[in-house]
């Protein structure tokens, strides 16, 4: 599905399939289940109950909360700029995290074990995993906070 929304509220029960393209500006979007694709949010708010396939999320001057479902090996890319983003995942999920942030912070649960960490004055890179890392979680963050929680 290809959907654009401006200055309003958008609610989608299920958006299955892998080629979804959703763009929200100056509004809110709530999606129960997202099969995969792209979601762009600027100056708004996004809540995705279940990300079920490979996806790319771009969040600018907004907030987002995304639930990660146990899926076949796939990847989720989250690009956050001037935004606060929360990812919900469970400790029995097999996740590999690669985080790159500048002027930002990340909070991860204890079950996500750190592999490497490099920190400079205003930037940070972290790699962490749980299990065999079947779900690739790539996070690029600037001027905001990212939280991964159960």
């Amino acid at each position: 599905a290809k959907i654009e929304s401006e200055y309003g509220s958008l609610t989608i029960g299920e958006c299955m399939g892998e080629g979804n393209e959703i763009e929200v500006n100056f509004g809110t979007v709530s999606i129960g289940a997202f099969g995969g694709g792209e979601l762009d949010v600027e100056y708004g708010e996004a809540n995705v109950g279940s990300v079920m396939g490979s996806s790319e999320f771009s969040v600018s001057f907004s907030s987002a909360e995304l639930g990660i479902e146990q899926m076949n090996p796939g990847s989720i890319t989250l690009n956050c700029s001037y935004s606060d983003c929360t990812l919900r995942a469970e400790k029995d999920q097999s996740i590999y995290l690669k985080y790159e942030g500048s002027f930002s912070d990340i909070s991860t649960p204890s079950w996500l074990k750190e592999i490497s960490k490099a920190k400079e004055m205003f930037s940070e890179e972290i790699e962490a995993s749980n299990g065999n890392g079947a779900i690739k979680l790539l996070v690029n963050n600037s001027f905001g906070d990212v939280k991964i929680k159960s």
Side-chain angles (χ1 to χ4, degrees):
K2 183 172 182 166
I3 301 170
E4 294 180 19
S5 177
E6 291 188 5
Y7 300 101
S9 178
L10 174 63
T11 301
I12 301 170
E14 290 184 350
C15 198
M16 303 311 289
E18 297 176 359
N20 298 303
E21 296 177 33
I22 300 174
E23 185 176 330
V24 176
N25 295 305
F26 300 98
T28 62
V29 61
S30 177
I31 303 171
F34 189 73
E38 297 178 20
L39 173 63
D40 298 328
V41 180
E42 288 189 17
Y43 298 99
E45 183 179 333
N47 187 328
V48 179
S50 300
V51 178
M52 305 181 78
S54 291
S55 304
E56 182 170 344
F57 298 95
S58 296
V59 182
S60 301
F61 301 97
S62 304
S63 65
E65 185 162 336
L66 312 171
I68 301 170
E69 282 292 318
Q70 187 71 28
M71 61 180 153
N72 292 326
S75 66
I76 298 172
T77 301
L78 176 60
N79 300 305
C80 297
S81 179
Y82 296 93
S83 302
D84 292 330
C85 298
T86 301
L87 300 162
R88 291 184 322 276
E90 297 302 323
K91 66 181 175 183
D92 63 345
Q93 289 178 298
S94 177
I95 293 175
Y96 166 78
L97 167 69
K98 182 171 183 180
Y99 172 85
E100 295 180 6
S102 59
F103 298 96
S104 59
D105 287 314
I106 185 168
S107 168
T108 60
S110 61
W111 53 261
L112 197 55
K113 302 299 179 202
E114 198 171 279
I115 299 169
S116 68
K117 183 175 187 174
K119 189 166 186 155
E120 293 182 15
M121 188 179 301
F122 300 114
S123 64
E124 181 175 33
E125 293 182 12
I126 296 173
E127 288 185 73
S129 71
N130 188 48
N132 66 8
I135 300 170
K136 308 287 187 256
L137 183 55
L138 310 171
V139 179
N140 301 300
N141 184 27
S142 58
F143 298 98
D145 295 327
V146 170
K147 184 178 201 178
I148 300 174
K149 67 178 188 175
S150 296

